[in-house]
Every structure is written in C-alpha cells, then in structure tokens.
Amino acid sequence: MNSNSFQASLAGMTSSAAPVDNLLKLTDEAERLPTVKRIPLSLYGTTGFSSGSQDIVHQYKLSIIQKYESEWSFLSGEKESLSALYTEPLIIQKNENGSFENISVDGLFQSHGSMTVILQGGSGSGKSFIAQKIMLDWAYLGNNVHFDSDSDSVSDSVSDSDSDYDFDFEPCLSGHFELFSSTHFTVVFYLRCEELMHISEKINLIELLSYSCSLTSDQILQMLQQLPEEMLFIIDGFDELKLTQDIYEMSAHTRPLQKAPPEVILCGLMRKYIIPESNLLVTTRTENTVNKLLKGRQCFTEIMFTEIMGFSVSQVEKYFQKFIRKEYDCVRANETLFTACSIPVICLIISEMFRVGANVTSGLETTTSIYVDFVSTLLEHHCQGLSQSVPTLLRSLGQLAERGMLEHQVLFNEKGVNETISDLTGSPFMCKFLLKRIIHQETMFRFMHLSFQEFFTALYYVLLDEEESQRKVRELLHTVERGWALSCWSDRDFSVADVEVRHAKLLQPVILFLCGLCKKEWIPSFFEKHNMAVPINTESQIKEWFNQCSQRYQNEHMLFILHCLYELHEKSFVGKILEGLILIDLSNIPLKMTDCWVLKYCLQCCEHIRNLKLHVTSENLEMLQPELYCCKELWLIMDHISDKVVGLISAAGKGKILSKLNIKQTENHESGFCPEITVSVRDEDIMLYFSKSVFRESSLTLTCPSSVVSTINWVKSHNKRTQLHSYQNLDHEENELDRNLRIQSLLMFLKSLSGLKKVCLQVSYQTATLDPEILSLIQACPSLIELELRIIDMDSLMLEESLKESLKQIGWTLTVWRNSVWINPDGKKFTEEELKKEKSRKGESSDSGSCLSLKTESSSAQSSSEYAELFTPELMKRGHEDKHKNTYRFVCPHAGQFRCSLTNLVFVMEGEGEVLYNIVSWDPHVLDGLGQIQPAGPLYNIDCSAGSVSKLHFPHCEMLSGEENKDGLAVAHFTGGNVEIIQPLKVTETHVIIDIRELSNFVLVWIKSKLGFPIRGQVLLFL
C-alpha cells in the first residue's frame, strides 16, 4: 500500500461513526509503508489541508495560545508571557558511542522521515517549559494574534494578505524570539501525562486527543486524515504514566481506535504501534524505562536521545538581565549561588525572592538552603492571621506531598486536598504553594512545582516524632536501594522490575532534601523559633546508609550520593566516605555545571582519591582541574581533548600524587591529540601511551624519564603541527609514499627524546621496509633497551634478512612472535631458543635458519584456552595470620595467552605487564534482586598496572550438552559494589571467555532460568 492509498483510506472517515469502521484497517497497512520524507511546508503550516481543515487548525491554534501563553509569578501573582520568560537551556544529543554534542531546540526535528526525540532532564530543568514553547511557536505561525495580558484573552486579527510573515507577536515582551522547528508540522498535539492519568476508563486515541485539547472527535479525525509524517505528538511527563501489566502485554497490532487505558495508548504511540509515521517528543526525568520501551523500534523511526544540561554561564546572565538586572551582580558575586542558578527552577526561585525584597546574597550554600529560605520568605509575608501553627501547616502540606510521591501522583482532587488540609482557601500561604487548575470541569490542585512536592515530603519526615520519622526514612532508603540493585541487572527487556527502578529514581530528591535539612545551622531563625530540626537518630540513619551504598554503586548512583554529601556539607564525614572508596566512576554521565561544583567540593574534603573516572567537557575540566591533582589515578573521557589537559599531563609526569592519567576522546575531532593518551609513573620512569583509534589498530607506547613530558609539543596550533601529528595520521594515508614519510617523521621525533628506553609501535599494516629507520633509531638512542613493532596484518611484514645480521653486529637480537617483532640487546629473556622450545612443545615446525619463520596462530586458536601458554605464578604471602589474602603474581614477558597452573584462569595479554590476582571472600547475597542468578565459582580480584589484559577466560565445571545451554553462564563484574553482568564472547567446554574494559572483581555466575539441569563436575578447593 502506498502513501496515496493510505490517505485515501483516511479520506473516507468523515463522521464519528465512520472512524470506528475505517481506521481499524490502518495499522497493518501503515506498517508496510515505506518511510516517507517530510515534505517542506509553507510557513502557514497547513499545506495539503482543505479550507475546512484550515479553519479548524486556525481555531485550534488560538485556543492553544490562550491556554499556554500566560504564566504567573510565584510570589507577586503577576501574569507574564511564557515567550518572554523563556530562556533556552543547554541541550546535548547523546550518541551511541558515548559521545555527545550540543543541539538547539530548533535542531531537534531537522531529520527527514519519522522522528522520536527523548528529552531527559531532572526536576526543574525546564522540560515542560520547552514543550509548551514548541507548542506555542506552532500556534503563532500564520496568525496575527494579539494577547491581552490583563484580560487573559486572545483576539484573532488575521490579515487578508497572503503573506505568511504578517503577524504581531504581542506576547513577546522582548520584541523578538525564534520560531522552533515545530513550525514544520501540520498538526501538533500536546499530551500532559499527569492529566491523562486521571482518566479511569478505557479510551481510544481519538478520545484521548479530544480530552487533551479543545477539538471534537470529528475535528481530530479530519486532522488525522493528513499525512502522518507531518504530525507531532508531544508527550510531556512520561514519568507520570502508570506502568501496568497492560503495557507489557501490548500487541504490536494495537489499532488507532482500539480502547485501552491511556498509558497503553501513549506507549503504543511511542512504540510506533499506532500511526508509525508520526513524530514524537517525549519528556522524561528517567531514561532507562523509555530506552527499553523503544527497544527494537529503530526500524520504524529515527530515535534521538537528548538531555537538558541546564543553563550555561551566559544563559544565567541572560535570564537575570531580563527580569532583575540590578540584582544580577549580587548573584554573580556569590559563586555557589550562581552555579546553583544553572538549574532553571532555581533561577526562577531566586528572581522571585529578589522581587519581594528578600535577602538572597548570603547563607545559601546548598539546594535545600535555597528552598528553606524561599519557604521562610513566604511564611514571613503570609503568616498573619493563621488559624493553625506553622508546624501544623507545614505538616499538612508535607503529608499531601508524601502521599503524591508514594502514589505517583502530582495532581490532587479537591476532596483529597480538603481531607488533608483544613481551611485551604483561608490560608494565603497555602494558596501560594498549591495551585488550583480546572481540568474538564473538575477542580484539581498541584504544587507550584514538583521540586516543592519533593521538598515538603522531606520536611514532613523531619516534623514527625522520632520513632515515626525513623520508620519512614528507613522505608524510603530501602525502596531507593532496592531500585538501585534492580537497575544493575543488565537485562535490556522491559519488565515489572522497571516500575521499582523508576519509582526509586523519582524518590531520590526526597533523600537529597533530607540531607540538606540535617544542616541545622542553615535553617533560618524563623524555623528555629518553631523548634523544627532533624531528629539526631534520623541523621545517623542517613549517614550509615551512605557508608554502605557508597561502597556498592557507581555512575548515576554515585553522582547522587555525592550530591547528598554536598547537601550534608560536613567536611569530615565527606572526607571519610571518599577516602574509603577504591573507585569513583562517573564515566557514563556527562557532567552538568552543578555536578562539577558538587564534585569539586567533595574532592576538597579529602587528601586523595584512589581512582576517579569522569566524562567531562573542556569547561568542566577547567572548573575541576585544581582538585583533580589529588587523585592517584585519573581517567577522563572527553568529546574534544583541548590544551586544558596539559597541566594534568605535567602533573602526572611528576608522579607526586597523580601517578596515572588516561584521557580518551570519543570522536576524532580536529585537535592536537590522539584519541587516547595514557601517562603513568613506574620506577621513576613514565610510560606514555597513544592510541589512534578506539579499536587500538594503531598505538604508540614510550618508556622514558619524566623530564620528556616537558619537551613534547602537545598542543596543535592553527599554523603548527604537533610533534605527534605524523603518528596520528599514520593509518589515514592511502598513498604509500606519504605513509613512509610519516613513519620516518615519527622515528625522527623519537630520536629527539632524551633518555628514551622502550618503544612499542602498533600499526594496521606495513607498506615498506623499516630496516634503515630501525637501525638509525637504535644508534641514535643509547638508552634504548627494547623496540617492539606490532603489525595487525602480518602478511604485510617486510623485514630483510640483512637486518638481523646488522643488529647482531651491534649486539642486538630480533625475534618474531605472532604479530609482534621484538628487538632487544643481547642477554634479554626473549631469546630465539626459548621461542623454539615453545614451538616444539606445541608441535609447530621449526626453521633454525630464520626466526622470522615462527608461525602466527589463527584467530580461532586465540579464542581457545587450550592454546594458552602454561605458567606457575609467584605466591606473594602476606603472613600466616592473613593467609586468605595471599596474592598470585605473574610477570608477563610479551603478548599472548597465558594459563595459570593453579587456578586455570587464562589471561589474554596485549603486551608485557605484571598481573596480580587473588581470591577474596564475599557475600553472594549482593546478587539478590538480579533474577535467578547464583555464583558458579570464586570471586577473583584481578589487577594489571600496565592495563595490558584484554580478555579473561574463567574456568567452569558445567557439563554442557548443547549450544542452548551455554547461554546459562555469564560473569558478574563488581566495580565499587556496582554489579554488571557481562555476557560471554564464547563458552567452551572448559572456559567462559569475556572481553574486559577494566579490572576489578569478577565471579562466574549461573543463570538458573536458562540452565535447568543438574550440575555435575569437579570440586575445586581453594585454600
């Protein structure tokens, strides 16, 4: 069925009865349609509409402007234009490779064809504001609209002229604003999830859209007759949807007029079961559940994941210059307050407090202190004539807030509010926080902002008696930690567990505010007068929870813990927590300005951090750099490596505290750096590692004195190449002559490095003999003790027999092993005889005439444990009383596979390195909540300072009867307590093989749901 026949099917639906009969045919036919490119529309936005449809759209736009244009001030009650209030925040687009790039709202829907945009952001980041602004821009297009802010009315004064530019944007107080890309759509529907969740009966798509706007079912049907690729559905507040069993059981053949609960209809739109060619914008606080819902739907729509990062420095200034220009200097002078204002809702709160004359220039160190000060300001202005005490009023608000948080509710009906809060209308203070809305003739209430619902829930727990407070806080902490544990399970399919994971995420801000309320000296005198303070035992309870959770979780959970520690603002406690951590891993999260400020404070609270991993921008790095020197090991992921890292490289070269630095670039931007740089200090020497690609097809490793760092020109200026430029582009050159020139240039650079000891160069293939350059380098560097050349394509290896003879004359030997060539002075342990013995043991042919005849093993052999070289590790005893902490030590001489004779572990090594490993005691209950999983072996702690371990083979004792049974084995990877289930690359009869990115604790696990047969095998006793 082509798009013309699809439109023809829709054209026959002209009555409220016809849709039910005709639209039922559309889903199956629409799924067979090819992707239709979006047709550029005229600025009027109604291309292809009949005159009747154009009139409907025009009136629809007027109703949208009247409904969404005006906003009210929290304190003054003044009505203001949404367009004037709007300041666009910084938004990033997240790519599959982990990189991200800035994107504007106008750039969200520039792609052709069906598009689904996921806009993620925390509470108060401005998601709904952006959604409403997109809706308004579409509504204003092609209409000469006058908005009267005093009468709250919209008048239609559309000119008779055909010019699409003939309109008057009266609401825009600044006189100008841009139209977003929503103007390219014929029809835009705005769906508030919080409102739709109050529909109790089953409805179809037409009824759901009618509920959300001023159009009738017939009018909506007439609009749906247009091309679906010209429609945009805005689903605002995905987190308010109730994830019921109906969603899990939803059929891919759900039809447009099939009745279902609202959440099922909305998820059907998102999954492209309904109107698959349409476009969607979905706002959400949590991303994981959305990801799972959209799994496998990329063939129906292009999916873009974006995140609101908050206001940049210039955007904060722009916001304040609009409203409180005189007070901006006061905010800018307070660096803590200014950083907090990168969160849009904080900007709004601060500007509101300035308007009523509050003092907001001192004492505001944390997010909680800002909210406390705001509530205190309102109490001071509206406490006259209160019929109840202040604690009673706040307790009532908190009780309502807690009910909404636990029941997943942001809108409250009038009856429920009156049952909790007495004399609501007679309390101006209450009316400031609870805003009344009329939704389909029903009076509803909501907090002025979701963040205040979270704050009052925390305050409610504080105002309870000691025993009740502890009980509720204990339940809160348990719920959140259970959600964290479930989120560590790597199952990518949507499941019931996601309900708990999401619920835990949404409750986290309550814990954060509780931490802030523990800081008693920051609670204003007005609060102290009413004896409101956190019970001592509750504070201890929270601190103990952090002690435990900080050892177990990383990335987003660790970042949340750091924010809570900042709210506590107790330096000794923060330092104690951080110094007890082996690793702080935030590498999966692009850090916002507030995240960096929190991390900066936490790093200042401790003398040193053992291991820190971050995903940062150049601006983040500039903010954090002074504190990063206290890290022993630092791992940075950057989308663009700039000269901001030079100071860190120099510090790592000195090796005082920072002794290992790894910098990775996610994409190959035009900078003066390789995509990966590692600087590590060992035995007073430094090792410099450079990799050209994420696949490590080309790499360069140097061992030299630390003084070399200062002699390298790291930064590529506009008119001068960096000294490493020749290496960076080594594999980019298709011309053989150019490649050889670059190799010569690189070796010339290496000759200039004083004290150079070791060189390892890996390239994809060789195009010309390197004999002259190799001899020249050896003769020019008397300190050189090892030169290794790795060539991935060994068929391209070209070394003349004369090179071996020339090396022999100057006291050097040449050996080839697999894809590596070693050149060393005589007396090194990598001798030809040893390699011959190894060949003989494996039954390989030997050619005494040339060491170049060593056979390169096939890739299939490399993935099999039986080909590994056997070794017996050195036992490093720690004393009789500590025998369970004995550690095995293996010093690997070169790349290859090596099997431990004591444990049967196999290490796949990319090069030389020292491997330390031992068996540690652990509590298998940490696997609880991850499904039917049980340990199938001991827990190994593995470390390699050189980072040269690329794969691990874990021995198992399962009797595998077929390929299907091999799916039941996996490896659990523990990093700082966080559990990751790693699926094997291969399962053989003896080993489970995995690829690794980092080393720590590993245990083989058995997935009972997949291996349902009796276990038969040997018992391995580890003493």
Side-chain angles (χ1 to χ4, degrees), residues 764-949:
S764 299
Y765 54 94
Q766 183 186 352
T767 59
T769 179
L770 300 176
D771 298 5
E773 287 79 9
I774 290 174
L775 287 171
S776 176
L777 178 62
I778 292 173
Q779 292 169 345
C781 299
S783 57
L784 192 66
I785 60 173
E786 182 177 310
L787 174 61
E788 180 184 355
L789 178 64
R790 298 180 190 171
I791 302 176
I792 295 176
D793 180 9
M794 283 297 286
D795 292 336
S796 66
L797 178 63
M798 289 181 288
L799 293 175
E800 301 294 338
E801 184 64 28
S802 59
L803 175 61
K804 182 182 178 183
E805 194 61 37
S806 299
L807 289 170
K808 186 177 180 180
Q809 292 176 6
I810 60 175
W812 285 65
T813 61
L814 181 149
T815 54
V816 177
W817 176 247
R818 293 180 178 164
N819 65 336
S820 295
V821 178
W822 277 277
I823 301 175
N824 308 93
D826 282 338
K828 294 289 286 184
K829 55 187 174 183
F830 311 128
T831 65
E832 184 178 340
E833 281 301 316
E834 287 180 337
L835 293 177
K836 287 180 180 178
K837 289 179 182 179
E838 180 64 21
K839 289 198 307 173
S840 177
R841 184 183 71 81
K842 295 183 178 181
E844 298 177 3
S845 61
S846 177
D847 182 1
S848 58
S850 172
C851 64
L852 295 179
S853 63
L854 287 174
K855 181 180 178 181
T856 304
E857 296 187 7
S858 67
S859 59
S860 61
Q862 300 228 15
S863 64
S864 177
S865 307
E866 63 181 292
Y867 290 93
E869 182 178 344
L870 190 67
F871 72 89
T872 300
E874 174 188 353
L875 182 61
M876 302 174 63
K877 294 187 177 181
R878 305 298 175 95
H880 178 73
E881 71 285 352
D882 201 16
K883 65 179 182 179
H884 295 296
K885 293 188 178 179
N886 289 342
T887 298
Y888 299 109
R889 179 174 180 261
F890 167 54
V891 179
C892 176
H894 53 73
Q897 294 186 82
F898 302 89
R899 179 167 62 89
C900 173
S901 62
L902 301 181
T903 64
N904 260 345
L905 279 172
V906 177
F907 303 93
V908 180
M909 308 292 293
E910 293 185 341
E912 65 176 21
E914 179 189 58
V915 182
L916 301 175
Y917 56 104
N918 66 307
I919 298 161
V920 296
S921 59
W922 65 300
D923 182 6
H925 287 97
V926 297
L927 297 174
D928 292 350
L930 299 183
Q932 297 295 312
I933 289 183
Q934 289 187 355
L939 180 68
Y940 295 98
N941 178 267
I942 304 173
D943 185 37
C944 178
S945 57
S948 50
V949 181

Side-chain angles (χ1 to χ4, degrees), residues 53-328:
S53 296
Q54 290 183 14
D55 291 340
I56 294 173
V57 171
H58 178 66
Q59 294 303 319
Y60 175 45
K61 288 183 174 183
L62 292 179
S63 68
I64 289 170
I65 295 170
Q66 183 163 1
K67 182 176 183 179
Y68 294 112
E69 178 54 76
S70 59
E71 289 287 325
W72 279 263
S73 163
F74 285 161
L75 299 183
S76 66
E78 297 173 358
K79 190 185 303 182
E80 299 194 14
S81 162
L82 182 146
S83 301
L85 286 171
Y86 180 80
T87 300
E88 183 170 321
L90 180 65
I91 303 174
I92 61 170
Q93 176 184 344
K94 296 187 278 190
N95 303 316
E96 290 184 3
N97 64 352
S99 67
F100 56 87
E101 55 189 299
N102 293 346
I103 188 172
S104 65
V105 175
D106 191 51
L108 295 180
F109 291 96
Q110 293 299 324
S111 174
H112 295 294
S114 175
M115 189 82 188
T116 297
V117 176
I118 308 301
L119 182 62
Q120 180 196 356
S123 177
S125 60
K127 301 180 298 296
S128 296
F129 218 59
I130 290 175
Q132 291 180 33
K133 181 65 166 58
I134 291 175
M135 189 74 175
L136 272 176
D137 282 357
W138 174 78
Y140 275 128
L141 192 69
N143 290 282
N144 188 358
V145 178
H146 175 80
F147 178 77
D148 187 345
S149 60
D150 295 324
S151 64
D152 192 24
S153 64
V154 179
S155 60
D156 177 15
S157 54
V158 180
S159 171
D160 292 334
S161 170
D162 292 332
S163 171
D164 290 331
Y165 296 90
D166 186 17
F167 44 71
D168 173 25
F169 287 107
E170 187 70 22
C172 186
L173 303 183
S174 61
H176 171 74
F177 64 87
E178 287 188 12
L179 292 176
F180 293 148
S181 55
S182 61
T183 57
H184 294 163
F185 297 105
T186 303
V187 181
V188 180
F189 291 104
Y190 183 54
L191 304 170
R192 284 180 180 264
C193 295
E194 63 183 36
E195 296 179 1
L196 297 175
M197 285 302 94
H198 285 269
I199 301 175
S200 56
E201 68 273 11
K202 293 183 178 182
I203 59 176
N204 60 40
L205 175 63
I206 306 296
E207 293 167 335
L208 182 142
L209 296 176
S210 179
Y211 182 90
S212 302
C213 66
S214 61
L215 300 172
T216 65
S217 296
D218 286 344
Q219 290 172 329
I220 291 172
L221 181 59
Q222 193 170 346
M223 297 170 79
L224 291 180
Q225 291 176 16
Q226 312 310 311
L227 289 176
E229 64 269 17
E230 295 178 6
M231 297 177 187
L232 172 65
F233 294 95
I234 300 176
I235 301 177
D236 187 19
F238 171 81
D239 307 283
E240 311 311 327
L241 296 183
K242 297 174 183 176
L243 301 182
T244 62
Q245 191 65 32
D246 292 328
I247 295 176
Y248 315 140
E249 299 171 354
M250 180 170 45
S251 169
H253 300 288
T254 303
R255 300 178 182 276
L257 292 183
Q258 181 176 327
K259 288 182 179 286
E263 62 271 18
V264 175
I265 299 294
L266 292 174
C267 289
L269 277 172
M270 291 173 59
R271 284 180 159 179
K272 298 298 179 179
Y273 294 166
I274 306 174
I275 315 184
E277 284 86 9
S278 63
N279 302 273
L280 281 92
L281 172 66
V282 182
T283 70
T284 179
R285 282 172 280 157
T286 59
E287 187 181 67
N288 291 343
T289 307
V290 178
N291 288 355
K292 292 182 178 182
L293 274 174
L294 298 179
K295 179 186 175 183
R297 309 311 295 172
Q298 290 85 348
C299 57
F300 295 96
T301 181
E302 181 180 346
I303 302 175
M304 179 191 294
F305 291 97
T306 63
E307 182 174 355
I308 300 175
M309 304 299 287
F311 288 151
S312 64
V313 172
S314 60
Q315 288 164 340
V316 173
E317 180 179 3
K318 180 179 178 182
Y319 183 92
F320 280 109
Q321 293 289 357
K322 282 184 180 181
F323 308 109
I324 49 171
R325 190 170 301 176
K326 293 180 180 179
E327 290 83 359
Y328 171 72

Side-chain angles (χ1 to χ4, degrees), residues 610-638:
R610 297 189 201 178
N611 198 328
L612 177 63
K613 297 186 177 183
L614 301 175
H615 192 158
V616 294
T617 63
S618 297
E619 292 75 20
N620 295 155
L621 191 60
E622 190 171 12
M623 179 187 291
L624 290 170
Q625 189 152 330
E627 282 69 36
L628 294 179
Y629 296 135
C630 72
C631 302
K632 291 185 176 180
E633 293 190 16
L634 179 61
W635 306 73
L636 299 178
I637 298 176
M638 305 182 71

Side-chain angles (χ1 to χ4, degrees), residues 510 623 659 688 891:
V510 179
M623 179 187 291
S659 58
L688 302 175
V891 179

